[in-house]
Amino acid sequence: MQDITPWKHKVQYYETDQMKIVHHSNYIRWFEEARISILEQIGAGYDLFEEAGIVSPVLTVESEYRQMVRFGETVEIRAMVESFNGIRLVIRYEVVRENDGVLCCVGKTSHCFLNMDGRPVSLKRSYPRFYEAIRTLPVVPEE
Amino acid sequence: MQDITPWKHKVQYYETDQMKIVHHSNYIRWFEEARISILEQIGAGYDLFEEAGIVSPVLTVESEYRQMVRFGETVEIRAMVESFNGIRLVIRYEVVRENDGVLCCVGKTSHCFLNMDGRPVSLKRSYPRFYEAIRTLPVVPEE
Amino acid sequence: MQDITPWKHKVQYYETDQMKIVHHSNYIRWFEEARISILEQIGAGYDLFEEAGIVSPVLTVESEYRQMVRFGETVEIRAMVESFNGIRLVIRYEVVRENDGVLCCVGKTSHCFLNMDGRPVSLKRSYPRFYEAIRTLPVVPEE
Amino acid sequence: MQDITPWKHKVQYYETDQMKIVHHSNYIRWFEEARISILEQIGAGYDLFEEAGIVSPVLTVESEYRQMVRFGETVEIRAMVESFNGIRLVIRYEVVRENDGVLCCVGKTSHCFLNMDGRPVSLKRSYPRFYEAIRTLPVVPEE
C-alpha cells in the first residue's frame, strides 16, 4: 500500500452560511478535493483518466455531519477505498479538524467508469494500469 | 394534507462542470431550495424558525444520481416527509426533469432542531405551531 | 426593441455567509442568470451559440454593492446592453430588491465571441442572426 | 514592509464549467482567499476583526480575465494594497499560473469597516493596531 498524504483544506469565508458554520454542501466538494488528490498521488489523476477517454461520474453521495466546522479552521480529509472491483469504486472520507483532531464528518461516494460513448467499462479489463494503481490506495480498516 | 407547489429550478451555467453536466454538489443545494420552499408554504419558513430562536442543522445527506442533468434544462424538486417525530425530521427529494418527466436524482436529508444554546428541542413539546405545520406536509407514499 | 421579462432570483440559504448577507461572489452568478435569460428571450440562447460553435467568455466583471441583500428576499436582475459592435458586448446589470424597490447592486460584464478554434469572431459578419437578435435587447438609457 | 507568502490555490474540478475552464465567479472567491491570507499573516485576521466587533464588507469588485485557467493547474494569487486611508481599503490581485508564470487575471476589491451598529469606522482612529498592521502590507508598485 502506498503512502498517501491526506488532503488539507483551509475553511474559506465564502464556505460559511448565516448559521456561522460551513454550509453542508461544501463537504461534498471537499470529498472531491480529497479524492482527486489521492488519485493524483498514485498516478491516476483525473487528467490522465480524461486523456484515456474515461470519465468517472458520481453515482451516490452520503455525508454525516457530526461536528460543525467553522471559518478559520483547517480540516484534513482522509479518503480510503471501501470497495473496488474494477467497475465500481466506493470511497470513504473522514473530515478531521486539525487543531483538536475531532472527527467532524464522515462521507462516502461511489463511482463508475464510462468510456467516450458513455458505456461502463471495467478498469480491470480495459485499463489495468488504473486498476492496479487504485488497488494501491489505503483501504478502510476492517472493524 | 396541504397542497404544495413543487420547487422548480432552472439549471444555470455556473452549475455545470467540465463533464458538461451539473456538478453533483449542486443537487444538495437544490434539496435545500425545495426544503425551504415547502416549509415556507406551510407557514414554517426558516425566517420564522430563526425568529423563534431555532436553527435546524443538517445531520445527514444522501443523494443518488440516476440521470445526468444539463445546462438549459429545468428540474422540479419534490420534497416529502419520510419521517418526523418532533425531534428529528427526514425529508426525501425527487429531482424530475421537466421536459421528459425522467426521475434524475433521489435524495434524503435529516435534521434536528436546536435552540439558542445549541440544545436539541422537541418541536412537538416546545413549538407546537411548527410541529403541527410540518405534519401537514406531503409524506412519502407507502410502497 | 423587444419586451424583456427581467430575471427574478430568490435568495437561497446557501448563498449567505456568516455576515448574514449574501456573499458578494453570488451577484456575479446572478448577472450570468440574467444574461442567459435575456439572450434566451431573444432567441439567442447559450445553447444556440454553442450549437453554432461559438462560445462567449467573460472578459471583465465589475460589481458595486450598495445595499446588502439577505436570505428570504427576492431580487430582480435587470440586464441591458451598454455597448455592442458585433465583436464586443458590454452588459449592465441592476439588482433591485423586490419588496422595497431598492437598487442594491449595479454591475457590468464584457464579452467577446470565439469560434471553435478560439479565434474572435464578429457576430455582425459571421453570425448576423445573433447580431440582429442582440440589437433588439434593451439598452442602457442615455443620461 | 512585511514579507508575505502569496496564496496558492489548486484549481478544483467543481470550479470548472462546461467551457472546460474555471468559471469566472470563482476568481472573486480566490481574491477573498488571498485577502484573508495576507491579513492573517500580518496579525489582522478576519477572526480578530470580528472579535473586535468590526466587519469589512466588500464595496466593489473588478476582475479582468486575460488567460483561461483550467482544472489541474495551480495559481498563485498575489494581493497588494492599492490604497488605504484607514477608512477605505483597496486591494489589487494578480492571479499567476504556477507552471508557466503567466498572469491570467487581475482584480481589485474595495472595502470599508463597519462596527456592530453598521456604522463606518476609521481604523486609524479607532483601531490603530489594525491600521498599523495593514500599513505593513505590500503595496502596488508605482509605474
Side-chain angles (χ1 to χ4, degrees):
Chain A
M1 217 176 337
Q2 214 171 318
D3 224 35
I4 294 290
T5 306
W7 178 250
K8 290 198 180 179
H9 180 98
K10 191 181 172 199
V11 176
Q12 294 300 328
Y13 201 87
Y14 61 77
E15 296 179 314
T16 62
D17 65 24
Q18 70 181 43
M19 231 187 277
K20 300 201 174 209
I21 57 174
V22 171
H23 190 269
H24 61 282
S25 61
N26 291 306
Y27 295 73
I28 310 299
R29 300 184 165 189
W30 300 352
F31 296 164
E32 184 180 85
E33 295 182 6
R35 182 167 69 247
I36 285 170
S37 169
I38 62 168
L39 289 173
E40 271 176 10
Q41 291 181 57
I42 56 165
Y46 269 38
D47 48 341
L48 299 179
F49 269 100
E50 296 199 345
E51 268 172 37
I54 317 169
V55 292
S56 178
V58 176
L59 301 176
T60 65
V61 162
E62 284 175 42
S63 186
E64 185 194 327
Y65 305 95
R66 296 188 182 177
Q67 291 286 328
M68 294 160 176
V69 175
R70 291 188 163 76
F71 172 65
E73 297 176 347
T74 293
V75 288
E76 191 174 286
I77 300 114
R78 298 172 190 159
M80 293 150 286
V81 172
E82 184 166 305
S83 68
F84 177 54
N85 61 4
I87 290 167
R88 192 180 169 103
L89 172 63
V90 181
I91 300 182
R92 181 183 150 90
Y93 308 87
E94 295 177 353
V95 179
V96 176
R97 190 159 45 210
E98 199 179 40
N99 68 327
D100 61 6
V102 167
L103 178 60
C104 296
C105 175
V106 294
K108 198 184 286 191
T109 59
S110 62
H111 307 262
C112 63
F113 304 92
L114 303 179
N115 65 15
M116 297 294 247
D117 309 323
R119 293 259 178 88
V121 292
S122 162
L123 291 190
K124 188 170 181 177
R125 199 159 24 167
S126 309
Y127 302 89
R129 177 168 62 103
F130 289 130
Y131 177 72
E132 293 305 332
I134 290 172
R135 281 171 53 92
T136 67
L137 283 174
V139 297
V140 176
E142 299 202 28
E143 313 217 359
Chain B
M1 216 177 336
Q2 213 169 318
D3 223 36
I4 294 289
T5 306
W7 178 251
K8 290 199 181 179
H9 179 96
K10 191 181 171 201
V11 176
Q12 293 300 330
Y13 201 87
Y14 61 77
E15 295 179 313
T16 62
D17 65 24
Q18 70 181 42
M19 231 187 278
K20 301 202 173 208
I21 56 174
V22 170
H23 191 268
H24 62 281
S25 61
N26 291 306
Y27 295 73
I28 310 300
R29 300 185 166 189
W30 299 352
F31 297 164
E32 183 180 87
E33 295 182 6
R35 181 167 69 247
I36 284 170
S37 168
I38 62 168
L39 290 171
E40 271 178 11
Q41 290 181 56
I42 56 164
Y46 268 40
D47 49 341
L48 299 179
F49 269 100
E50 296 198 346
E51 267 172 37
I54 317 169
V55 291
S56 178
V58 176
L59 300 177
T60 64
V61 162
E62 284 175 42
S63 186
E64 184 194 327
Y65 305 95
R66 297 189 182 177
Q67 291 286 327
M68 295 160 175
V69 175
R70 291 188 163 77
F71 172 64
E73 297 177 347
T74 293
V75 289
E76 191 174 285
I77 301 114
R78 299 172 189 156
M80 294 150 286
V81 172
E82 184 167 305
S83 68
F84 177 55
N85 60 5
I87 290 167
R88 190 181 171 103
L89 172 64
V90 181
I91 300 182
R92 180 184 152 89
Y93 308 87
E94 295 176 353
V95 179
V96 176
R97 189 160 44 211
E98 201 180 38
N99 68 327
D100 61 6
V102 167
L103 178 60
C104 297
C105 175
V106 294
K108 198 184 284 191
T109 59
S110 62
H111 307 261
C112 64
F113 304 91
L114 304 179
N115 65 15
M116 298 296 247
D117 309 324
R119 294 260 178 88
V121 292
S122 161
L123 291 191
K124 188 171 182 176
R125 200 159 24 171
S126 310
Y127 302 89
R129 177 167 63 102
F130 290 128
Y131 177 73
E132 293 306 333
I134 290 173
R135 281 170 53 90
T136 67
L137 282 173
V139 297
V140 176
E142 300 204 25
E143 314 219 356
Chain C
M1 218 176 336
Q2 213 171 317
D3 224 37
I4 294 289
T5 306
W7 177 251
K8 291 199 179 177
H9 180 97
K10 191 182 172 201
V11 176
Q12 294 300 329
Y13 201 87
Y14 61 77
E15 296 179 312
T16 62
D17 65 24
Q18 70 181 44
M19 232 186 274
K20 300 202 174 208
I21 58 174
V22 171
H23 190 270
H24 61 282
S25 62
N26 291 306
Y27 295 72
I28 311 299
R29 301 184 165 190
W30 299 352
F31 296 165
E32 184 180 86
E33 295 182 6
R35 183 167 68 247
I36 285 169
S37 169
I38 61 167
L39 289 172
E40 271 177 11
Q41 290 182 57
I42 56 164
Y46 269 39
D47 48 342
L48 299 179
F49 269 101
E50 296 199 345
E51 268 173 36
I54 317 168
V55 292
S56 178
V58 176
L59 300 177
T60 64
V61 162
E62 285 176 41
S63 185
E64 185 193 327
Y65 305 95
R66 298 189 181 175
Q67 291 287 327
M68 294 161 176
V69 175
R70 291 188 162 76
F71 172 65
E73 297 176 347
T74 293
V75 289
E76 191 173 286
I77 300 115
R78 298 172 190 158
M80 293 150 285
V81 172
E82 184 166 305
S83 69
F84 177 55
N85 60 5
I87 290 166
R88 192 181 169 103
L89 172 64
V90 181
I91 300 181
R92 181 183 150 89
Y93 308 88
E94 295 177 354
V95 179
V96 176
R97 190 160 42 211
E98 199 180 40
N99 68 328
D100 61 6
V102 167
L103 178 61
C104 296
C105 175
V106 295
K108 198 184 285 191
T109 59
S110 62
H111 307 262
C112 64
F113 304 93
L114 303 179
N115 65 16
M116 296 295 248
D117 308 324
R119 294 258 178 89
V121 292
S122 162
L123 290 191
K124 188 170 181 178
R125 200 159 24 167
S126 308
Y127 301 89
R129 178 168 62 103
F130 289 129
Y131 178 73
E132 292 306 332
I134 290 172
R135 280 171 53 91
T136 66
L137 283 173
V139 297
V140 176
E142 300 203 26
E143 314 217 356
Chain D
M1 215 176 339
Q2 213 171 318
D3 223 37
I4 294 289
T5 306
W7 177 251
K8 290 198 181 178
H9 180 97
K10 191 181 171 201
V11 176
Q12 293 300 330
Y13 201 87
Y14 62 77
E15 296 179 312
T16 62
D17 64 25
Q18 69 181 44
M19 231 187 277
K20 301 201 172 208
I21 57 174
V22 170
H23 191 269
H24 61 282
S25 61
N26 291 306
Y27 295 74
I28 311 300
R29 300 185 166 189
W30 299 352
F31 296 164
E32 183 180 87
E33 295 183 7
R35 182 167 69 246
I36 284 170
S37 169
I38 62 168
L39 289 172
E40 271 178 12
Q41 290 182 56
I42 56 164
Y46 268 40
D47 49 341
L48 299 179
F49 270 100
E50 296 198 346
E51 268 173 37
I54 318 169
V55 291
S56 178
V58 176
L59 300 177
T60 64
V61 162
E62 283 175 41
S63 186
E64 184 193 326
Y65 306 95
R66 298 189 182 177
Q67 291 287 327
M68 294 160 175
V69 175
R70 291 188 163 77
F71 172 64
E73 297 176 347
T74 294
V75 288
E76 191 173 285
I77 299 115
R78 299 173 188 155
M80 294 150 285
V81 172
E82 184 166 305
S83 69
F84 177 55
N85 60 5
I87 290 167
R88 190 181 171 103
L89 172 63
V90 181
I91 300 182
R92 180 184 150 90
Y93 308 86
E94 294 177 354
V95 179
V96 176
R97 189 161 44 209
E98 201 181 39
N99 68 328
D100 61 6
V102 167
L103 178 60
C104 296
C105 175
V106 294
K108 198 185 283 192
T109 59
S110 62
H111 306 262
C112 65
F113 304 92
L114 304 180
N115 65 15
M116 297 295 248
D117 309 323
R119 293 261 179 88
V121 292
S122 162
L123 291 191
K124 188 170 183 177
R125 200 159 25 170
S126 309
Y127 301 89
R129 177 167 63 102
F130 289 128
Y131 177 74
E132 293 306 333
I134 289 173
R135 281 170 53 90
T136 68
L137 283 174
V139 297
V140 176
E142 300 203 26
E143 314 218 356

